Structure formats: structure tokens, C-alpha cells
Amino acid sequence: RITGGIILFFIIFISTTAIPKVRRRFHNTFEYIHRYVGWTCLVILIIHVVFLQLDKFDSFNTKALFNIPVLILLAIVIIIFLPWICVRKVLVQYDQPSNDLTIITFPRALYPYGSTTRISLDGHEWHAFAIALTDSYADQHSILVAAVGDWTKDLAADYRSNKLPQHVWIRRIKGLGFMYSIHAYRKVLIVCTGSGIAPALPYIKDPLPTTHTHLLWIAKKHEQNYGEYVWKLVQKTHPHYTLHDTTVNGRPSPQLVENVFWRTSSEAVFVVSNEKFTIEVVNALWRKDIPCFGALFDS
């Protein structure tokens, strides 16, 4: 009962700090609490199960060692430690087409469309990014890092001052983002703002044979800010893309997305943008019975 009460208290504590308003305001604190309190719960559970088994242990046999509590604990430990077992330190390359965008290139290229990767510069603070580009000939993949938060702004500044490490930590196990659901449709409109173009690039570079995609890219001075390679890659999809330059046309409304949706006869819309615009577009289109999906930000 004591162990259960302690773990329950910690879970409630973690859940409280995960409330969106609290999490956004004290994001770094939340991450530390989530990480270290979570590990503490696991250690308490291990100690509890070990002592529980010692009390019942009277002779050495398989049944005594591998009962249900032990097997459940073993499964929990494996699930938690598996991603960490697959952590590797790899040599990377950096490029910065503009002050607001940094491109990081890693070894290995065999990852499915819609994959995400987690990276860390120090092995402690981890960040997830969509895999934007893959090169099977050079056996490498790249991510686009926009300078929008504290960590990403520091990364961009460190690149300019030549302070970035040559090796970074990555997790070999790659997850699948919401963009992977594009495979469920035959015609899809992908709406990207700024560096949100990253998850869409695999579908632009190597279009799916079963899904036709049209790109609506909303950004500021596309070619100037995102580099020649990304710009030429998008241009290759002509006429299956629409550009909206915010320096010329201003901030768009959901009506723009709806207009492009009907014009392209798409079946669904996938939005890769900031939280405010994503929610705005998704809600506006669903009210009109248009299937529209966006990333989950509180994840």
C-alpha cells in the first residue's frame, strides 16, 4: 500500500505539471520532473517487486523467479530501456541557408516516409524532428531545424560561432509522425508554413505511387530563407505546388487552404505549422466536413 501510494502521488504530480498551461510556462521544469520522477517511480517499483519476491522465495525454481509480477516488471524495464540501448553518437554535417534555418545531416538513409528522429547535443536534452531529406546514394538523411525556440535559436547561434559539436547523439529507433497517414488517401493537400516544409519534402522528392500530393507552402521569401536545394526540390513538383509569400501577401486565413483544397480536388488536408495556425485551419475545415489533420503539440 505504501509503495502504491508513493507511486500514485508521483504520477499525480507528473500529471499536474503536464497540464498544458503549466507545461508551456515551465517547460524545462516539466521535462526534468517528467524524466527524473519517472525514473524514481521505476526504481521504487523494482525495489518493491524484488523485496516482495524475496519474502515469498523459499527454494530456487523457475516458478518462483518468473511469476506474473516479475514478468510485468521485466516487460516495463525492457520497453523503457530499449530506446536508450539504441542510442548512438554519430558524426554529423551542418548547413545554414539562413539565420533562421539549420540543416543537420546524419548517416543512414533507409527510413520510411513520415519518420521522425530524436537528437541530443549533450545526451541529456532530446528533441524530435521530422526526417526531411534522404539520400540513398550517400546513405544519409537530414533534418531542418527552424530557430523558433530557445534550444533551436541557441543551435543556430552556435553554428554561426562555430561551437556546435561534430558528433551528436541519436536514437536508432525512428518513430512515425502523423504525416505517415497520408498513405490512407489518394489525393492530399499538404499545408506547410516555414520550416514545416521538412516533413513534406520526402513526398516531394520521391512522390508516392499511390498518393497524389499538392503542396501549399506558406513562408517568407522561400528561396532566400530555405536554400537553393530545398527551393529547387519544391520547384520540381510543378504544377503541384502553391506558394504564399507572407512578405508580399501577408498572413493567410483558413480560406486560402479551403480554396486550394477544392481547386486540387483533394481528399484530405495535412497541416504542418505552428500550433495557432494548425488549430485554426483544422477547426475551420472540419466544420465544413473537410478531413484535416495536424500535429499534436502537447506530446
mmCIF file with all atom_site columns, all heavy atoms in Angstrom, residues 1 11 25-26 30 43 69 84 106 114 117 128 147 150 168 190-191 193 203 222 228 230 232 235 287 295:
data_model
loop_
_atom_site.group_PDB
_atom_site.id
_atom_site.type_symbol
_atom_site.label_atom_id
_atom_site.label_alt_id
_atom_site.label_comp_id
_atom_site.label_asym_id
_atom_site.label_entity_id
_atom_site.label_seq_id
_atom_site.pdbx_PDB_ins_code
_atom_site.Cartn_x
_atom_site.Cartn_y
_atom_site.Cartn_z
_atom_site.occupancy
_atom_site.B_iso_or_equiv
_atom_site.pdbx_formal_charge
_atom_site.auth_seq_id
_atom_site.auth_comp_id
_atom_site.auth_asym_id
_atom_site.auth_atom_id
_atom_site.pdbx_PDB_model_num
ATOM 1   N N   . ARG A 1 1   ? 0.823   -1.209  0.000   1.00 0.00 ? 1   ARG A N   1
ATOM 2   C CA  . ARG A 1 1   ? 0.000   0.000   0.000   1.00 0.00 ? 1   ARG A CA  1
ATOM 3   C C   . ARG A 1 1   ? 0.860   1.263   0.000   1.00 0.00 ? 1   ARG A C   1
ATOM 4   O O   . ARG A 1 1   ? 0.538   2.245   -0.652  1.00 0.00 ? 1   ARG A O   1
ATOM 5   C CB  . ARG A 1 1   ? -0.916  0.009   1.222   1.00 0.00 ? 1   ARG A CB  1
ATOM 6   C CG  . ARG A 1 1   ? -2.024  -1.028  1.161   1.00 0.00 ? 1   ARG A CG  1
ATOM 7   C CD  . ARG A 1 1   ? -2.906  -0.934  2.381   1.00 0.00 ? 1   ARG A CD  1
ATOM 8   N NE  . ARG A 1 1   ? -3.978  -1.911  2.320   1.00 0.00 ? 1   ARG A NE  1
ATOM 9   C CZ  . ARG A 1 1   ? -4.908  -2.051  3.266   1.00 0.00 ? 1   ARG A CZ  1
ATOM 10  N NH1 . ARG A 1 1   ? -4.873  -1.271  4.338   1.00 0.00 ? 1   ARG A NH1 1
ATOM 11  N NH2 . ARG A 1 1   ? -5.848  -2.954  3.147   1.00 0.00 ? 1   ARG A NH2 1
ATOM 12  N N   . ILE A 1 11  ? 2.744   10.004  -9.836  1.00 0.00 ? 11  ILE A N   1
ATOM 13  C CA  . ILE A 1 11  ? 2.018   10.051  -11.112 1.00 0.00 ? 11  ILE A CA  1
ATOM 14  C C   . ILE A 1 11  ? 1.100   11.270  -11.160 1.00 0.00 ? 11  ILE A C   1
ATOM 15  O O   . ILE A 1 11  ? 1.014   11.967  -12.180 1.00 0.00 ? 11  ILE A O   1
ATOM 16  C CB  . ILE A 1 11  ? 1.216   8.749   -11.324 1.00 0.00 ? 11  ILE A CB  1
ATOM 17  C CG1 . ILE A 1 11  ? 2.168   7.576   -11.568 1.00 0.00 ? 11  ILE A CG1 1
ATOM 18  C CG2 . ILE A 1 11  ? 0.254   8.896   -12.507 1.00 0.00 ? 11  ILE A CG2 1
ATOM 19  C CD1 . ILE A 1 11  ? 1.481   6.233   -11.659 1.00 0.00 ? 11  ILE A CD1 1
ATOM 20  N N   . ARG A 1 25  ? 4.464   27.110  -19.637 1.00 0.00 ? 25  ARG A N   1
ATOM 21  C CA  . ARG A 1 25  ? 5.129   28.168  -18.873 1.00 0.00 ? 25  ARG A CA  1
ATOM 22  C C   . ARG A 1 25  ? 6.420   27.680  -18.221 1.00 0.00 ? 25  ARG A C   1
ATOM 23  O O   . ARG A 1 25  ? 7.394   28.424  -18.122 1.00 0.00 ? 25  ARG A O   1
ATOM 24  C CB  . ARG A 1 25  ? 4.172   28.712  -17.805 1.00 0.00 ? 25  ARG A CB  1
ATOM 25  C CG  . ARG A 1 25  ? 4.735   29.905  -17.060 1.00 0.00 ? 25  ARG A CG  1
ATOM 26  C CD  . ARG A 1 25  ? 3.690   30.561  -16.193 1.00 0.00 ? 25  ARG A CD  1
ATOM 27  N NE  . ARG A 1 25  ? 4.222   31.722  -15.500 1.00 0.00 ? 25  ARG A NE  1
ATOM 28  C CZ  . ARG A 1 25  ? 3.524   32.486  -14.682 1.00 0.00 ? 25  ARG A CZ  1
ATOM 29  N NH1 . ARG A 1 25  ? 2.244   32.224  -14.459 1.00 0.00 ? 25  ARG A NH1 1
ATOM 30  N NH2 . ARG A 1 25  ? 4.085   33.522  -14.085 1.00 0.00 ? 25  ARG A NH2 1
ATOM 31  N N   . PHE A 1 26  ? 6.416   26.429  -17.774 1.00 0.00 ? 26  PHE A N   1
ATOM 32  C CA  . PHE A 1 26  ? 7.601   25.872  -17.100 1.00 0.00 ? 26  PHE A CA  1
ATOM 33  C C   . PHE A 1 26  ? 8.060   24.619  -17.845 1.00 0.00 ? 26  PHE A C   1
ATOM 34  O O   . PHE A 1 26  ? 8.158   23.539  -17.262 1.00 0.00 ? 26  PHE A O   1
ATOM 35  C CB  . PHE A 1 26  ? 7.272   25.536  -15.640 1.00 0.00 ? 26  PHE A CB  1
ATOM 36  C CG  . PHE A 1 26  ? 6.671   26.676  -14.866 1.00 0.00 ? 26  PHE A CG  1
ATOM 37  C CD1 . PHE A 1 26  ? 5.305   26.729  -14.640 1.00 0.00 ? 26  PHE A CD1 1
ATOM 38  C CD2 . PHE A 1 26  ? 7.471   27.696  -14.373 1.00 0.00 ? 26  PHE A CD2 1
ATOM 39  C CE1 . PHE A 1 26  ? 4.746   27.772  -13.919 1.00 0.00 ? 26  PHE A CE1 1
ATOM 40  C CE2 . PHE A 1 26  ? 6.922   28.743  -13.653 1.00 0.00 ? 26  PHE A CE2 1
ATOM 41  C CZ  . PHE A 1 26  ? 5.554   28.793  -13.432 1.00 0.00 ? 26  PHE A CZ  1
ATOM 42  N N   . PHE A 1 30  ? 9.154   21.008  -16.364 1.00 0.00 ? 30  PHE A N   1
ATOM 43  C CA  . PHE A 1 30  ? 8.318   19.838  -16.628 1.00 0.00 ? 30  PHE A CA  1
ATOM 44  C C   . PHE A 1 30  ? 9.160   18.671  -17.138 1.00 0.00 ? 30  PHE A C   1
ATOM 45  O O   . PHE A 1 30  ? 8.973   17.525  -16.711 1.00 0.00 ? 30  PHE A O   1
ATOM 46  C CB  . PHE A 1 30  ? 7.239   20.167  -17.657 1.00 0.00 ? 30  PHE A CB  1
ATOM 47  C CG  . PHE A 1 30  ? 6.661   18.937  -18.311 1.00 0.00 ? 30  PHE A CG  1
ATOM 48  C CD1 . PHE A 1 30  ? 5.731   18.153  -17.645 1.00 0.00 ? 30  PHE A CD1 1
ATOM 49  C CD2 . PHE A 1 30  ? 7.087   18.541  -19.571 1.00 0.00 ? 30  PHE A CD2 1
ATOM 50  C CE1 . PHE A 1 30  ? 5.224   17.004  -18.226 1.00 0.00 ? 30  PHE A CE1 1
ATOM 51  C CE2 . PHE A 1 30  ? 6.582   17.394  -20.156 1.00 0.00 ? 30  PHE A CE2 1
ATOM 52  C CZ  . PHE A 1 30  ? 5.647   16.628  -19.486 1.00 0.00 ? 30  PHE A CZ  1
ATOM 53  N N   . VAL A 1 43  ? 12.354  2.855   -10.199 1.00 0.00 ? 43  VAL A N   1
ATOM 54  C CA  . VAL A 1 43  ? 13.256  2.296   -9.178  1.00 0.00 ? 43  VAL A CA  1
ATOM 55  C C   . VAL A 1 43  ? 12.456  1.799   -7.977  1.00 0.00 ? 43  VAL A C   1
ATOM 56  O O   . VAL A 1 43  ? 12.714  0.704   -7.444  1.00 0.00 ? 43  VAL A O   1
ATOM 57  C CB  . VAL A 1 43  ? 14.293  3.353   -8.741  1.00 0.00 ? 43  VAL A CB  1
ATOM 58  C CG1 . VAL A 1 43  ? 15.089  2.857   -7.537  1.00 0.00 ? 43  VAL A CG1 1
ATOM 59  C CG2 . VAL A 1 43  ? 15.235  3.682   -9.893  1.00 0.00 ? 43  VAL A CG2 1
ATOM 60  N N   . PRO A 1 69  ? 4.136   -10.818 -11.447 1.00 0.00 ? 69  PRO A N   1
ATOM 61  C CA  . PRO A 1 69  ? 4.723   -9.503  -11.128 1.00 0.00 ? 69  PRO A CA  1
ATOM 62  C C   . PRO A 1 69  ? 6.115   -9.304  -11.728 1.00 0.00 ? 69  PRO A C   1
ATOM 63  O O   . PRO A 1 69  ? 6.436   -8.222  -12.227 1.00 0.00 ? 69  PRO A O   1
ATOM 64  C CB  . PRO A 1 69  ? 4.775   -9.504  -9.597  1.00 0.00 ? 69  PRO A CB  1
ATOM 65  C CG  . PRO A 1 69  ? 3.709   -10.460 -9.180  1.00 0.00 ? 69  PRO A CG  1
ATOM 66  C CD  . PRO A 1 69  ? 3.721   -11.532 -10.221 1.00 0.00 ? 69  PRO A CD  1
ATOM 67  N N   . TRP A 1 84  ? 16.948  3.546   -25.226 1.00 0.00 ? 84  TRP A N   1
ATOM 68  C CA  . TRP A 1 84  ? 18.257  4.003   -24.755 1.00 0.00 ? 84  TRP A CA  1
ATOM 69  C C   . TRP A 1 84  ? 19.369  3.047   -25.171 1.00 0.00 ? 84  TRP A C   1
ATOM 70  O O   . TRP A 1 84  ? 20.516  3.468   -25.359 1.00 0.00 ? 84  TRP A O   1
ATOM 71  C CB  . TRP A 1 84  ? 18.229  4.155   -23.234 1.00 0.00 ? 84  TRP A CB  1
ATOM 72  C CG  . TRP A 1 84  ? 17.286  5.218   -22.791 1.00 0.00 ? 84  TRP A CG  1
ATOM 73  C CD1 . TRP A 1 84  ? 16.012  5.056   -22.325 1.00 0.00 ? 84  TRP A CD1 1
ATOM 74  C CD2 . TRP A 1 84  ? 17.506  6.630   -22.817 1.00 0.00 ? 84  TRP A CD2 1
ATOM 75  N NE1 . TRP A 1 84  ? 15.434  6.266   -22.050 1.00 0.00 ? 84  TRP A NE1 1
ATOM 76  C CE2 . TRP A 1 84  ? 16.328  7.254   -22.338 1.00 0.00 ? 84  TRP A CE2 1
ATOM 77  C CE3 . TRP A 1 84  ? 18.590  7.425   -23.190 1.00 0.00 ? 84  TRP A CE3 1
ATOM 78  C CZ2 . TRP A 1 84  ? 16.213  8.637   -22.233 1.00 0.00 ? 84  TRP A CZ2 1
ATOM 79  C CZ3 . TRP A 1 84  ? 18.474  8.803   -23.079 1.00 0.00 ? 84  TRP A CZ3 1
ATOM 80  C CH2 . TRP A 1 84  ? 17.298  9.390   -22.606 1.00 0.00 ? 84  TRP A CH2 1
ATOM 81  N N   . PHE A 1 106 ? 22.747  13.389  -41.132 1.00 0.00 ? 106 PHE A N   1
ATOM 82  C CA  . PHE A 1 106 ? 23.184  12.216  -40.375 1.00 0.00 ? 106 PHE A CA  1
ATOM 83  C C   . PHE A 1 106 ? 23.451  11.043  -41.321 1.00 0.00 ? 106 PHE A C   1
ATOM 84  O O   . PHE A 1 106 ? 22.932  11.014  -42.438 1.00 0.00 ? 106 PHE A O   1
ATOM 85  C CB  . PHE A 1 106 ? 22.094  11.782  -39.383 1.00 0.00 ? 106 PHE A CB  1
ATOM 86  C CG  . PHE A 1 106 ? 21.615  12.868  -38.472 1.00 0.00 ? 106 PHE A CG  1
ATOM 87  C CD1 . PHE A 1 106 ? 20.626  13.754  -38.880 1.00 0.00 ? 106 PHE A CD1 1
ATOM 88  C CD2 . PHE A 1 106 ? 22.139  13.010  -37.201 1.00 0.00 ? 106 PHE A CD2 1
ATOM 89  C CE1 . PHE A 1 106 ? 20.170  14.754  -38.040 1.00 0.00 ? 106 PHE A CE1 1
ATOM 90  C CE2 . PHE A 1 106 ? 21.688  14.007  -36.350 1.00 0.00 ? 106 PHE A CE2 1
ATOM 91  C CZ  . PHE A 1 106 ? 20.709  14.880  -36.774 1.00 0.00 ? 106 PHE A CZ  1
ATOM 92  N N   . GLY A 1 114 ? 7.524   9.960   -43.538 1.00 0.00 ? 114 GLY A N   1
ATOM 93  C CA  . GLY A 1 114 ? 6.809   10.298  -42.315 1.00 0.00 ? 114 GLY A CA  1
ATOM 94  C C   . GLY A 1 114 ? 7.562   9.946   -41.047 1.00 0.00 ? 114 GLY A C   1
ATOM 95  O O   . GLY A 1 114 ? 7.010   10.051  -39.953 1.00 0.00 ? 114 GLY A O   1
ATOM 96  N N   . THR A 1 117 ? 12.943  11.601  -35.973 1.00 0.00 ? 117 THR A N   1
ATOM 97  C CA  . THR A 1 117 ? 14.160  11.212  -35.280 1.00 0.00 ? 117 THR A CA  1
ATOM 98  C C   . THR A 1 117 ? 14.344  12.090  -34.051 1.00 0.00 ? 117 THR A C   1
ATOM 99  O O   . THR A 1 117 ? 13.847  13.220  -34.005 1.00 0.00 ? 117 THR A O   1
ATOM 100 C CB  . THR A 1 117 ? 15.392  11.342  -36.206 1.00 0.00 ? 117 THR A CB  1
ATOM 101 O OG1 . THR A 1 117 ? 16.548  10.818  -35.542 1.00 0.00 ? 117 THR A OG1 1
ATOM 102 C CG2 . THR A 1 117 ? 15.653  12.796  -36.583 1.00 0.00 ? 117 THR A CG2 1
ATOM 103 N N   . ALA A 1 128 ? 12.774  16.131  -30.914 1.00 0.00 ? 128 ALA A N   1
ATOM 104 C CA  . ALA A 1 128 ? 12.300  15.325  -32.044 1.00 0.00 ? 128 ALA A CA  1
ATOM 105 C C   . ALA A 1 128 ? 12.104  16.199  -33.281 1.00 0.00 ? 128 ALA A C   1
ATOM 106 O O   . ALA A 1 128 ? 11.619  17.330  -33.182 1.00 0.00 ? 128 ALA A O   1
ATOM 107 C CB  . ALA A 1 128 ? 10.986  14.641  -31.679 1.00 0.00 ? 128 ALA A CB  1
ATOM 108 N N   . ALA A 1 147 ? 14.778  28.155  -36.201 1.00 0.00 ? 147 ALA A N   1
ATOM 109 C CA  . ALA A 1 147 ? 15.112  28.875  -34.968 1.00 0.00 ? 147 ALA A CA  1
ATOM 110 C C   . ALA A 1 147 ? 13.856  29.531  -34.404 1.00 0.00 ? 147 ALA A C   1
ATOM 111 O O   . ALA A 1 147 ? 13.605  30.720  -34.607 1.00 0.00 ? 147 ALA A O   1
ATOM 112 C CB  . ALA A 1 147 ? 16.190  29.916  -35.244 1.00 0.00 ? 147 ALA A CB  1
ATOM 113 N N   . ASP A 1 150 ? 14.016  28.334  -27.682 1.00 0.00 ? 150 ASP A N   1
ATOM 114 C CA  . ASP A 1 150 ? 15.298  28.625  -27.035 1.00 0.00 ? 150 ASP A CA  1
ATOM 115 C C   . ASP A 1 150 ? 16.402  27.706  -27.545 1.00 0.00 ? 150 ASP A C   1
ATOM 116 O O   . ASP A 1 150 ? 17.492  28.166  -27.906 1.00 0.00 ? 150 ASP A O   1
ATOM 117 C CB  . ASP A 1 150 ? 15.161  28.474  -25.512 1.00 0.00 ? 150 ASP A CB  1
ATOM 118 C CG  . ASP A 1 150 ? 14.236  29.523  -24.912 1.00 0.00 ? 150 ASP A CG  1
ATOM 119 O OD1 . ASP A 1 150 ? 14.030  30.559  -25.580 1.00 0.00 ? 150 ASP A OD1 1
ATOM 120 O OD2 . ASP A 1 150 ? 13.728  29.306  -23.803 1.00 0.00 ? 150 ASP A OD2 1
ATOM 121 N N   . VAL A 1 168 ? 26.802  14.100  -32.539 1.00 0.00 ? 168 VAL A N   1
ATOM 122 C CA  . VAL A 1 168 ? 25.599  14.263  -31.717 1.00 0.00 ? 168 VAL A CA  1
ATOM 123 C C   . VAL A 1 168 ? 25.019  12.883  -31.413 1.00 0.00 ? 168 VAL A C   1
ATOM 124 O O   . VAL A 1 168 ? 25.318  11.896  -32.094 1.00 0.00 ? 168 VAL A O   1
ATOM 125 C CB  . VAL A 1 168 ? 24.532  15.137  -32.415 1.00 0.00 ? 168 VAL A CB  1
ATOM 126 C CG1 . VAL A 1 168 ? 25.082  16.498  -32.761 1.00 0.00 ? 168 VAL A CG1 1
ATOM 127 C CG2 . VAL A 1 168 ? 23.982  14.445  -33.654 1.00 0.00 ? 168 VAL A CG2 1
ATOM 128 N N   . ILE A 1 190 ? -1.015  19.115  -48.753 1.00 0.00 ? 190 ILE A N   1
ATOM 129 C CA  . ILE A 1 190 ? -0.103  19.311  -47.626 1.00 0.00 ? 190 ILE A CA  1
ATOM 130 C C   . ILE A 1 190 ? 0.117   20.807  -47.447 1.00 0.00 ? 190 ILE A C   1
ATOM 131 O O   . ILE A 1 190 ? 0.586   21.484  -48.365 1.00 0.00 ? 190 ILE A O   1
ATOM 132 C CB  . ILE A 1 190 ? 1.247   18.607  -47.862 1.00 0.00 ? 190 ILE A CB  1
ATOM 133 C CG1 . ILE A 1 190 ? 1.042   17.116  -48.129 1.00 0.00 ? 190 ILE A CG1 1
ATOM 134 C CG2 . ILE A 1 190 ? 2.165   18.804  -46.663 1.00 0.00 ? 190 ILE A CG2 1
ATOM 135 C CD1 . ILE A 1 190 ? 2.328   16.381  -48.472 1.00 0.00 ? 190 ILE A CD1 1
ATOM 136 N N   . VAL A 1 191 ? -0.241  21.311  -46.281 1.00 0.00 ? 191 VAL A N   1
ATOM 137 C CA  . VAL A 1 191 ? -0.085  22.739  -45.982 1.00 0.00 ? 191 VAL A CA  1
ATOM 138 C C   . VAL A 1 191 ? 1.087   22.903  -45.021 1.00 0.00 ? 191 VAL A C   1
ATOM 139 O O   . VAL A 1 191 ? 1.078   22.353  -43.918 1.00 0.00 ? 191 VAL A O   1
ATOM 140 C CB  . VAL A 1 191 ? -1.370  23.317  -45.353 1.00 0.00 ? 191 VAL A CB  1
ATOM 141 C CG1 . VAL A 1 191 ? -1.194  24.807  -45.068 1.00 0.00 ? 191 VAL A CG1 1
ATOM 142 C CG2 . VAL A 1 191 ? -2.565  23.080  -46.264 1.00 0.00 ? 191 VAL A CG2 1
ATOM 143 N N   . THR A 1 193 ? 3.959   25.716  -43.251 1.00 0.00 ? 193 THR A N   1
ATOM 144 C CA  . THR A 1 193 ? 4.399   27.087  -43.032 1.00 0.00 ? 193 THR A CA  1
ATOM 145 C C   . THR A 1 193 ? 5.857   27.053  -42.595 1.00 0.00 ? 193 THR A C   1
ATOM 146 O O   . THR A 1 193 ? 6.238   26.259  -41.734 1.00 0.00 ? 193 THR A O   1
ATOM 147 C CB  . THR A 1 193 ? 3.558   27.804  -41.957 1.00 0.00 ? 193 THR A CB  1
ATOM 148 O OG1 . THR A 1 193 ? 3.698   27.119  -40.708 1.00 0.00 ? 193 THR A OG1 1
ATOM 149 C CG2 . THR A 1 193 ? 2.089   27.832  -42.347 1.00 0.00 ? 193 THR A CG2 1
ATOM 150 N N   . TYR A 1 203 ? 7.858   13.447  -49.643 1.00 0.00 ? 203 TYR A N   1
ATOM 151 C CA  . TYR A 1 203 ? 6.764   13.212  -50.586 1.00 0.00 ? 203 TYR A CA  1
ATOM 152 C C   . TYR A 1 203 ? 6.943   14.036  -51.861 1.00 0.00 ? 203 TYR A C   1
ATOM 153 O O   . TYR A 1 203 ? 6.360   13.722  -52.896 1.00 0.00 ? 203 TYR A O   1
ATOM 154 C CB  . TYR A 1 203 ? 5.427   13.566  -49.929 1.00 0.00 ? 203 TYR A CB  1
ATOM 155 C CG  . TYR A 1 203 ? 5.146   12.760  -48.688 1.00 0.00 ? 203 TYR A CG  1
ATOM 156 C CD1 . TYR A 1 203 ? 5.510   13.237  -47.430 1.00 0.00 ? 203 TYR A CD1 1
ATOM 157 C CD2 . TYR A 1 203 ? 4.543   11.512  -48.767 1.00 0.00 ? 203 TYR A CD2 1
ATOM 158 C CE1 . TYR A 1 203 ? 5.270   12.493  -46.285 1.00 0.00 ? 203 TYR A CE1 1
ATOM 159 C CE2 . TYR A 1 203 ? 4.298   10.761  -47.626 1.00 0.00 ? 203 TYR A CE2 1
ATOM 160 C CZ  . TYR A 1 203 ? 4.663   11.256  -46.392 1.00 0.00 ? 203 TYR A CZ  1
ATOM 161 O OH  . TYR A 1 203 ? 4.437   10.519  -45.263 1.00 0.00 ? 203 TYR A OH  1
ATOM 162 N N   . HIS A 1 222 ? 10.776  32.324  -49.745 1.00 0.00 ? 222 HIS A N   1
ATOM 163 C CA  . HIS A 1 222 ? 11.077  30.894  -49.764 1.00 0.00 ? 222 HIS A CA  1
ATOM 164 C C   . HIS A 1 222 ? 12.518  30.584  -50.173 1.00 0.00 ? 222 HIS A C   1
ATOM 165 O O   . HIS A 1 222 ? 13.248  29.914  -49.437 1.00 0.00 ? 222 HIS A O   1
ATOM 166 C CB  . HIS A 1 222 ? 10.119  30.175  -50.723 1.00 0.00 ? 222 HIS A CB  1
ATOM 167 C CG  . HIS A 1 222 ? 8.677   30.347  -50.386 1.00 0.00 ? 222 HIS A CG  1
ATOM 168 N ND1 . HIS A 1 222 ? 7.991   31.517  -50.638 1.00 0.00 ? 222 HIS A ND1 1
ATOM 169 C CD2 . HIS A 1 222 ? 7.786   29.502  -49.816 1.00 0.00 ? 222 HIS A CD2 1
ATOM 170 C CE1 . HIS A 1 222 ? 6.737   31.382  -50.249 1.00 0.00 ? 222 HIS A CE1 1
ATOM 171 N NE2 . HIS A 1 222 ? 6.578   30.173  -49.742 1.00 0.00 ? 222 HIS A NE2 1
ATOM 172 N N   . GLU A 1 228 ? 18.910  26.932  -51.756 1.00 0.00 ? 228 GLU A N   1
ATOM 173 C CA  . GLU A 1 228 ? 18.708  26.589  -53.162 1.00 0.00 ? 228 GLU A CA  1
ATOM 174 C C   . GLU A 1 228 ? 18.228  25.152  -53.335 1.00 0.00 ? 228 GLU A C   1
ATOM 175 O O   . GLU A 1 228 ? 17.362  24.865  -54.164 1.00 0.00 ? 228 GLU A O   1
ATOM 176 C CB  . GLU A 1 228 ? 20.019  26.795  -53.928 1.00 0.00 ? 228 GLU A CB  1
ATOM 177 C CG  . GLU A 1 228 ? 19.905  26.551  -55.425 1.00 0.00 ? 228 GLU A CG  1
ATOM 178 C CD  . GLU A 1 228 ? 21.222  26.771  -56.143 1.00 0.00 ? 228 GLU A CD  1
ATOM 179 O OE1 . GLU A 1 228 ? 22.225  27.085  -55.464 1.00 0.00 ? 228 GLU A OE1 1
ATOM 180 O OE2 . GLU A 1 228 ? 21.253  26.609  -57.376 1.00 0.00 ? 228 GLU A OE2 1
ATOM 181 N N   . VAL A 1 230 ? 16.442  23.100  -51.289 1.00 0.00 ? 230 VAL A N   1
ATOM 182 C CA  . VAL A 1 230 ? 15.031  22.923  -50.934 1.00 0.00 ? 230 VAL A CA  1
ATOM 183 C C   . VAL A 1 230 ? 14.139  23.622  -51.955 1.00 0.00 ? 230 VAL A C   1
ATOM 184 O O   . VAL A 1 230 ? 13.112  23.086  -52.378 1.00 0.00 ? 230 VAL A O   1
ATOM 185 C CB  . VAL A 1 230 ? 14.758  23.465  -49.516 1.00 0.00 ? 230 VAL A CB  1
ATOM 186 C CG1 . VAL A 1 230 ? 13.265  23.436  -49.204 1.00 0.00 ? 230 VAL A CG1 1
ATOM 187 C CG2 . VAL A 1 230 ? 15.522  22.652  -48.479 1.00 0.00 ? 230 VAL A CG2 1
ATOM 188 N N   . LYS A 1 232 ? 14.731  24.294  -55.159 1.00 0.00 ? 232 LYS A N   1
ATOM 189 C CA  . LYS A 1 232 ? 14.692  23.561  -56.428 1.00 0.00 ? 232 LYS A CA  1
ATOM 190 C C   . LYS A 1 232 ? 13.896  22.268  -56.295 1.00 0.00 ? 232 LYS A C   1
ATOM 191 O O   . LYS A 1 232 ? 13.230  21.836  -57.236 1.00 0.00 ? 232 LYS A O   1
ATOM 192 C CB  . LYS A 1 232 ? 16.115  23.264  -56.904 1.00 0.00 ? 232 LYS A CB  1
ATOM 193 C CG  . LYS A 1 232 ? 16.847  24.482  -57.444 1.00 0.00 ? 232 LYS A CG  1
ATOM 194 C CD  . LYS A 1 232 ? 18.203  24.110  -58.019 1.00 0.00 ? 232 LYS A CD  1
ATOM 195 C CE  . LYS A 1 232 ? 18.874  25.331  -58.649 1.00 0.00 ? 232 LYS A CE  1
ATOM 196 N NZ  . LYS A 1 232 ? 20.211  25.000  -59.221 1.00 0.00 ? 232 LYS A NZ  1
ATOM 197 N N   . GLN A 1 235 ? 10.319  23.232  -56.613 1.00 0.00 ? 235 GLN A N   1
ATOM 198 C CA  . GLN A 1 235 ? 10.003  23.634  -57.983 1.00 0.00 ? 235 GLN A CA  1
ATOM 199 C C   . GLN A 1 235 ? 9.847   22.437  -58.916 1.00 0.00 ? 235 GLN A C   1
ATOM 200 O O   . GLN A 1 235 ? 9.116   22.502  -59.904 1.00 0.00 ? 235 GLN A O   1
ATOM 201 C CB  . GLN A 1 235 ? 11.093  24.567  -58.518 1.00 0.00 ? 235 GLN A CB  1
ATOM 202 C CG  . GLN A 1 235 ? 10.992  25.992  -57.994 1.00 0.00 ? 235 GLN A CG  1
ATOM 203 C CD  . GLN A 1 235 ? 11.914  26.928  -58.738 1.00 0.00 ? 235 GLN A CD  1
ATOM 204 O OE1 . GLN A 1 235 ? 13.075  26.605  -58.985 1.00 0.00 ? 235 GLN A OE1 1
ATOM 205 N NE2 . GLN A 1 235 ? 11.406  28.091  -59.110 1.00 0.00 ? 235 GLN A NE2 1
ATOM 206 N N   . ARG A 1 287 ? -15.292 21.926  -39.684 1.00 0.00 ? 287 ARG A N   1
ATOM 207 C CA  . ARG A 1 287 ? -16.658 22.462  -39.620 1.00 0.00 ? 287 ARG A CA  1
ATOM 208 C C   . ARG A 1 287 ? -17.359 22.361  -40.971 1.00 0.00 ? 287 ARG A C   1
ATOM 209 O O   . ARG A 1 287 ? -18.592 22.360  -41.043 1.00 0.00 ? 287 ARG A O   1
ATOM 210 C CB  . ARG A 1 287 ? -16.626 23.925  -39.167 1.00 0.00 ? 287 ARG A CB  1
ATOM 211 C CG  . ARG A 1 287 ? -16.238 24.123  -37.708 1.00 0.00 ? 287 ARG A CG  1
ATOM 212 C CD  . ARG A 1 287 ? -16.525 25.539  -37.247 1.00 0.00 ? 287 ARG A CD  1
ATOM 213 N NE  . ARG A 1 287 ? -15.833 25.839  -35.995 1.00 0.00 ? 287 ARG A NE  1
ATOM 214 C CZ  . ARG A 1 287 ? -14.714 26.539  -35.909 1.00 0.00 ? 287 ARG A CZ  1
ATOM 215 N NH1 . ARG A 1 287 ? -14.169 27.037  -37.016 1.00 0.00 ? 287 ARG A NH1 1
ATOM 216 N NH2 . ARG A 1 287 ? -14.146 26.762  -34.747 1.00 0.00 ? 287 ARG A NH2 1
ATOM 217 N N   . ALA A 1 295 ? -0.459  18.224  -36.455 1.00 0.00 ? 295 ALA A N   1
ATOM 218 C CA  . ALA A 1 295 ? 0.377   17.591  -35.438 1.00 0.00 ? 295 ALA A CA  1
ATOM 219 C C   . ALA A 1 295 ? -0.177  17.851  -34.044 1.00 0.00 ? 295 ALA A C   1
ATOM 220 O O   . ALA A 1 295 ? -0.826  18.869  -33.793 1.00 0.00 ? 295 ALA A O   1
ATOM 221 C CB  . ALA A 1 295 ? 1.808   18.121  -35.537 1.00 0.00 ? 295 ALA A CB  1
#
